[in-house]
């Protein structure tokens, strides 16, 4: 029996591929017949639906609608059209950001956790209110970094913030690694990342143009077996 988990995917800064990592984790878990709900916790700059290729209309319900009682939970959760066990809950617009309290967010995530094997929250970048709200209900945190000094400095601050909030089950995924640059010394190594952040690295995703050009992620794995292998390693260690 699968142990139900709530996972928050975070980053110290934007642009490191956090949302893509979130989407791929959900897809791989769903490919293995786990029930997965991906939650877009980034109010305002929410684009998890675009990354997943899930079409939502202006009339679709979202997070705020559930909180305000405009719909039931099952009305707001969008079922993926290709993967039977993958679902998405979109967030509201930036204007409604403050209308969803930390407590309401956590209560809704707890409801999802009773239904799905995995609830994965795509957290906003930064360390302010929205970030705190997104990570509060999480039992495990994945910090996405790129092998650059600026990303690692921001990730270090993020990890310190997480620990100050009582979150200690923290792991790292390194994104956009390029082996030749690591060998030449232009990129830091995985060992150096672990030494700097004092958090275990559970997986590496190499630079992959297919992740940047709008390819359908759910069909991409059929063609790119090396990418699938990288994400399976992450899933196994989660």
């Amino acid at each position: 029996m699968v142990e139900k988990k709530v996972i928050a995917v975070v980053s110290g800064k934007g642009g490191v591929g956090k949302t893509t990592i979130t989407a791929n984790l959900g897809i791989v878990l769903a490919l293995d017949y786990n029930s997965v709900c991906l939650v877009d916790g980034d109010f305002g700059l929410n684009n998890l639906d675009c990354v997943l290729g899930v079409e939502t209309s202006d009339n679709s319900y979202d997070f705020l609608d559930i909180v305000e009682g405009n719909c039931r939970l099952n009305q707001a959760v969008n079922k993926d059209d290709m993967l039977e066990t993958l679902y998405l809950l979109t967030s509201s617009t930036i204007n409604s950001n403050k209308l969803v309290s930390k407590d309401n967010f956590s209560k809704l995530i707890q409801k999802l956790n009773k239904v799905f094997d995995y609830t994965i929250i795509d957290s906003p970048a930064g360390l302010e209110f929205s970030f705190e709200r997104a990570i509060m209900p999480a039992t495990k945190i994945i910090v996405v970094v790129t092998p650059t000094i600026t990303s690692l400095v921001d990730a270090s601050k993020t990890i310190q913030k997480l620990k100050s909030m009582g979150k200690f089950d923290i792991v790292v995924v390194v994104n956009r690694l390029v082996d030749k640059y690591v060998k030449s010394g232009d990129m830091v190594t995985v060992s150096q990342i672990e030494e700097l952040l004092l958090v275990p690295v559970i997986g590496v995703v190499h630079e992959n143009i297919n992740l940047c050009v709008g390819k359908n992620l759910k069909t991409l794995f059929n063609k790119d077996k090396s990418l699938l292998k990288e994400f399976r390693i992450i899933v196994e260690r989660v």
Side-chain angles (χ1 to χ4, degrees):
M1 184 176 178
V2 175
E3 178 188 354
K4 294 181 181 295
K5 292 184 179 181
V6 176
I7 302 169
V9 183
V10 309
S11 65
K13 62 181 296 183
V16 299
K18 170 180 54 63
T19 299
T20 303
I21 296 293
T22 302
N24 279 316
L25 285 177
I27 290 168
V28 173
L29 284 164
L31 286 172
D32 291 337
Y33 303 104
N34 298 288
S35 61
V36 183
C37 184
L38 299 179
V39 178
D40 198 333
D42 193 349
F43 289 59
L45 297 177
N46 43 349
N47 59 4
L48 187 54
D49 55 340
C50 298
V51 173
L52 283 169
V54 175
E55 293 187 12
T56 56
S57 68
D58 293 336
N59 297 321
S60 297
Y61 293 116
D62 58 30
F63 212 105
L64 183 61
D65 287 309
I66 303 174
V67 171
E68 294 189 331
N70 298 327
C71 68
R72 296 186 299 275
L73 180 63
N74 64 336
Q75 291 177 291
V77 175
N78 297 280
K79 186 177 184 299
D80 188 81
D81 59 355
M82 292 182 64
L83 297 174
E84 291 185 0
T85 59
L86 182 64
Y87 294 79
L88 169 67
L89 176 57
T90 60
S91 65
S92 308
T93 65
I94 195 167
N95 295 327
S96 61
N97 187 32
K98 295 290 186 180
L99 297 178
V100 179
S101 68
K102 295 177 183 178
D103 187 53
N104 283 336
F105 188 91
S106 293
K107 286 180 179 178
L108 183 47
I109 296 300
Q110 289 165 10
K111 289 181 181 179
L112 292 171
N113 189 39
K114 293 178 181 179
V115 177
F116 297 95
D117 298 328
Y118 293 89
T119 304
I120 306 179
I121 305 164
D122 184 25
S123 170
L127 302 177
E128 306 306 324
F129 169 81
S130 298
F131 168 84
E132 294 178 357
R133 176 179 59 199
I135 64 98
M136 276 189 65
T139 54
K140 192 176 195 73
I141 311 290
I142 297 175
V143 181
V144 179
V145 303
T146 55
T148 61
I149 296 301
T150 53
S151 173
L152 295 174
V153 169
D154 287 342
S156 179
K157 295 175 183 177
T158 301
I159 291 168
Q160 291 175 29
K161 174 73 171 180
L162 290 167
K163 290 181 177 179
S164 74
M165 296 179 65
K167 301 294 182 179
F168 296 99
D169 192 353
I170 307 168
V171 295
V172 168
V173 169
V174 181
N175 193 28
R176 296 177 180 166
L177 190 77
V178 181
D179 288 333
K180 68 176 182 178
Y181 293 140
V182 172
K183 292 177 181 177
S184 67
D186 294 315
M187 277 186 174
V188 295
T189 66
V190 171
S191 296
Q192 289 171 326
I193 292 172
E194 287 186 318
E195 289 174 7
L196 176 63
L197 299 180
L198 300 176
V199 170
V201 173
I202 63 166
V204 172
V205 179
H206 285 80
E207 183 70 65
N208 190 321
I209 188 62
N210 288 322
L211 294 177
C212 306
V213 294
K215 297 270 187 176
N216 188 322
L217 297 178
K218 287 165 281 188
T219 58
L220 176 58
F221 284 129
N222 296 331
K223 302 174 183 177
D224 195 331
K225 298 303 180 183
S226 62
L227 183 65
L228 177 60
K229 182 178 179 181
E230 290 177 342
F231 275 94
R232 283 207 183 281
I233 290 171
I234 296 170
V235 163
E236 289 169 5
R237 294 175 179 173
V238 164

